[in-house]
Amino acid sequence: MSKEREQIMRMLTGIMLAVVLVAGCAPSSHQALTRDYADRQQYTVNENYQSVYRRIQANARRCYETGLITAQMQVRSDLYTDIREGVISVVLSGGLGIDTYLGIEVKAIDDDHTRVTVYNALSSWNKAQPVIRRWVENTGNDC
């Protein structure tokens, strides 16, 4: 990606974050998000859970991690190989605490099938759902 495009993406992310901050607060943790969300989508793919997890994590970091003046958008992720699942969260971390805007659960159904559940905290993040679906299905890596 060109530097000019990166700058535009960062500017748009900053604008989006400003709108989100004005529009309302999000839950402080992934667990709270799974109980209180604006939208929830679930997808199943014929692929091992670890490769799906890595693809989503890499794209989320590329698309969502950015620094702001007093806060930072972060992608937090944990992979639990013993129970064959992973959790990826997009959070805003700053002086006012942590807001979890996006939560993604990746769970193995069996060795070759994976279920992905995506939660978003605010309706302004509904547009992330089709993007993440493309990541899950490996049909695109756009932001």
Side-chain angles (χ1 to χ4, degrees):
M1 183 176 346
S2 72
K3 287 189 183 235
E4 182 179 3
R5 186 166 181 213
E6 277 185 13
Q7 289 175 332
I8 291 169
M9 289 300 294
R10 289 190 188 276
M11 183 178 68
L12 291 174
T13 300
I15 291 169
M16 181 176 72
L17 291 175
V19 170
V20 168
L21 288 173
V22 172
C25 295
S28 61
S29 69
H30 177 83
Q31 292 78 13
L33 176 60
T34 63
R35 293 186 304 273
D36 182 20
Y37 52 85
D39 193 20
R40 174 184 170 269
Q41 300 288 321
Q42 198 166 69
Y43 315 107
T44 303
V45 291
N46 300 331
E47 190 175 346
N48 181 275
Y49 81 102
Q50 290 179 335
S51 60
V52 174
Y53 171 87
R54 280 190 301 270
R55 185 170 53 249
I56 295 169
Q57 180 195 50
N59 281 316
R61 285 191 171 150
R62 183 176 50 81
C63 292
Y64 294 116
E65 284 191 334
T66 187
L68 304 171
I69 294 171
T70 61
Q72 185 176 29
M73 286 297 289
Q74 299 173 332
V75 173
R76 296 183 175 178
S77 56
D78 294 296
L79 182 63
Y80 306 102
T81 56
D82 58 330
I83 56 174
R84 297 171 22 134
E85 64 184 57
V87 176
I88 301 166
S89 300
V90 177
V91 304
L92 177 65
S93 179
L96 300 176
I98 295 173
D99 288 319
T100 304
Y101 291 111
L102 193 61
I104 305 164
E105 297 175 347
V106 180
K107 295 184 181 184
I109 297 170
D110 58 34
D111 289 343
D112 299 316
H113 298 89
T114 301
R115 180 176 38 255
V116 178
T117 307
V118 183
Y119 303 87
N120 55 281
L122 305 170
S123 59
S124 59
W125 281 75
N126 285 354
K127 63 186 174 192
Q129 291 284 1
V131 172
I132 295 169
R133 182 178 190 155
R134 289 189 292 275
W135 297 348
V136 170
E137 296 174 346
N138 203 18
T139 59
N141 63 357
D142 58 314
C143 295

